[in-house]
């Protein structure tokens, strides 16, 4: 990695652009004839909403995804599914079940379906649900393969948490994940859980049924020993996946460590009779493990 100076250069470039736009907006307001401030604010808000509705909500974004998303590898797969509308990934309703921080769903206990509530905190003083440290989970896991199912665990890497000994919060960012260990049988996660349904009024019946997985990638390409990648799903069948009892036959890369699940009939998975999605993963490699940052259902 080229170092912090590259980040500083990018940050300054973005800041200069935003400052320039802000100054231009102030110049326009200075020349604006204001009789009633509330009326002006209402008019500006109306223009903003109108712009958003026409350019984003109602706008034609058919070419936009092709420009910002590297879908070249997935294009043939998607084009062969007449019901797959790529715009769903940009404009469709969705449920995001993410382990990464900062996220209010974690702090408020909605993601973990618990009453443990907190906020950004220094390492070791968190009041929200932190999950299980991966190395400890691997040391305490049983050696024999389990035929039963269990709940997919939330986890973190202790040696990857920054500023463990720092008494103040330097960065709230933490790359936590859901994980499944080899030999632990089927590990299940239900989306949305009761807390998410109550807090956000999620209704899976109005979704398209596209299930996207965002993997916990390897920092700087340096993967841990026994770390299973998405390609291990097909090559050697080192791990398997089901969604509401339907076998996932392929996971298609749509860029940025995100993959969309596919079954024998296509990309769409209907919700269960209970109105949710039960995602199950089983790792067949005895010493292997899978780490997923987020599950997103469109």
């Amino acid at each position: 990695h080229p170092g912090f100076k590259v980040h500083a250069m990018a940050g300054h470039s973005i800041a200069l652009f935003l400052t320039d736009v802000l100054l231009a907006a102030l110049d326009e307001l200075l020349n604006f004839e204001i009789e009633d401030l509330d009326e002006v604010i209402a008019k500006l808000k109306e223009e903003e909403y109108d712009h958003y509705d026409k350019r984003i909500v109602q706008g034609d974004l058919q070419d936009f995804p092709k420009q910002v998303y590297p879908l070249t590898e997935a294009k043939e797969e998607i084009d062969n599914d007449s019901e797959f509308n790529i715009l769903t990934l940009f404009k469709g309703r969705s449920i995001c079940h993410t382990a990464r921080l900062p996220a209010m769903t974690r702090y408020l206990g909605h993601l973990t379906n618990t009453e443990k509530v907190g906020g950004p905190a220094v390492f070791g003083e968190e009041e929200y649900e932190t999950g299980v440290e991966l190395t400890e989970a691997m040391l305490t896991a049983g050696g024999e393969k389990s035929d039963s199912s269990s709940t997919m665990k939330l986890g973190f890497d202790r040696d990857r948490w920054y500023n463990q000994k720092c008494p103040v919060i330097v960065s709230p960012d933490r790359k936590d994940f859901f994980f499944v260990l080899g030999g632990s049988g089927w590990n299940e996660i239900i989306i949305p859980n009761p807390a998410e349904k109550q807090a956000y009024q999620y209704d899976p019946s109005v979704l398209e049924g596209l299930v996207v997985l965002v993997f916990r990638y390897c920092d700087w390409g340096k993967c841990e020993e026994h770390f299973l990648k998405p390609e291990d799903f097909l090559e050697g069948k080192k791990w398997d996946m089901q969604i509401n009892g339907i076998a996932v036959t392929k996971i298609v890369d749509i860029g940025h460590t995100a993959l969309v699940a596919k079954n024998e009939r296509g990309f769409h998975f209907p919700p269960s009779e209970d109105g949710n999605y039960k995602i199950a993963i089983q790792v067949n490699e005895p010493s292997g493990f899978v780490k997923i940052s987020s599950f997103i259902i469109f």
Side-chain angles (χ1 to χ4, degrees):
H1 189 271
F4 76 93
K5 290 186 178 180
V6 173
H7 291 303
M9 182 182 68
H12 279 85
S13 299
I14 296 171
L16 287 171
F17 167 73
L18 293 175
T19 303
D20 190 53
V21 172
L22 178 61
L23 290 173
L26 290 174
D27 285 337
E28 186 174 337
L29 286 174
L30 286 173
N31 298 320
F32 204 89
E33 294 183 4
I34 300 177
E35 295 182 359
D36 186 333
L37 183 59
D38 291 335
E39 184 179 340
V40 172
I41 293 175
K43 182 179 180 181
L44 291 173
K45 285 185 176 180
E46 184 179 350
E47 290 179 1
E48 181 182 359
Y49 294 148
D50 184 63
H51 179 83
Y52 175 79
D53 184 66
K54 289 181 178 178
R55 296 290 184 90
I56 305 298
V57 179
Q58 303 297 332
D60 184 6
L61 302 180
Q62 290 293 340
D63 293 328
F64 181 68
K66 300 174 186 177
Q67 298 172 14
V68 299
Y69 238 37
L71 292 171
T72 50
E73 296 182 7
K75 187 177 186 306
E76 185 178 351
E77 295 271 356
I78 293 173
D79 288 346
N80 289 335
D81 189 327
S82 59
E83 296 182 1
F84 192 122
N85 185 355
I86 193 63
L87 294 184
T88 301
L89 301 179
F90 292 84
K91 299 169 62 175
R93 297 180 180 180
S94 64
I95 298 174
C96 183
H97 196 83
T98 182
R100 301 191 69 160
L101 291 171
M104 292 305 297
T105 54
R106 285 278 308 273
Y107 295 145
L108 296 176
H110 300 153
L111 180 96
T112 50
N113 196 35
T114 67
E115 295 182 358
K116 297 181 71 174
V117 177
V122 297
F123 183 77
E125 297 184 11
E126 304 88 350
E127 296 181 349
Y128 58 88
E129 180 61 59
T130 60
V132 184
E133 202 280 319
L134 181 61
T135 304
E136 293 180 1
M138 295 175 71
L139 290 173
T140 57
E144 297 183 1
K145 183 176 180 180
S146 173
D147 294 324
S148 60
S149 61
S150 58
T151 301
M152 195 178 302
K153 293 181 175 61
L154 174 69
F156 64 91
D157 291 318
R158 188 184 303 277
D159 59 342
R160 292 171 184 264
W161 281 33
Y162 311 132
N163 308 302
Q164 292 186 31
K165 298 179 180 180
C166 190
V168 297
I169 301 172
V170 178
S171 171
D173 299 334
R174 295 178 178 176
K175 301 174 183 178
D176 293 354
F177 47 82
F178 304 100
F179 70 92
V180 180
L181 301 178
S184 62
W186 286 100
N187 285 224
E188 302 173 344
I189 191 167
I190 295 177
I191 305 172
N193 62 41
E196 290 173 316
K197 276 190 174 182
Q198 182 177 358
Y200 309 112
Q201 304 300 308
Y202 283 142
D203 181 7
S205 66
V206 303
L207 303 179
E208 295 291 330
L210 301 176
V211 180
V212 173
L213 297 78
V214 181
F215 268 71
R216 172 69 174 90
Y217 57 86
C218 305
D219 292 326
W220 318 121
K222 298 179 181 179
C223 295
E224 307 141 273
E225 187 179 7
H226 307 304
F227 179 94
L228 296 182
K229 302 178 182 179
E231 47 265 35
D232 292 317
F233 178 78
L234 291 176
E235 299 173 8
K237 296 293 288 183
K238 294 182 179 180
W239 60 280
D240 296 313
M241 181 176 176
Q242 295 180 356
I243 300 174
N244 287 339
I246 302 173
V248 175
T249 56
K250 193 172 185 179
I251 48 176
V252 180
D253 187 358
I254 56 175
H256 301 284
T257 70
L259 301 101
V260 59
K262 187 177 183 181
N263 58 56
E264 289 184 347
R265 296 186 177 183
F267 289 97
H268 298 263
F269 292 84
S272 68
E273 294 181 356
D274 296 328
N276 53 41
Y277 281 82
K278 181 185 289 185
I279 300 174
I281 293 177
Q282 176 177 258
V283 174
N284 303 317
E285 186 79 5
S287 56
F289 57 89
V290 169
K291 297 161 73 173
I292 298 175
S293 291
S294 309
F295 295 95
I296 309 169
I297 304 173
F298 292 90

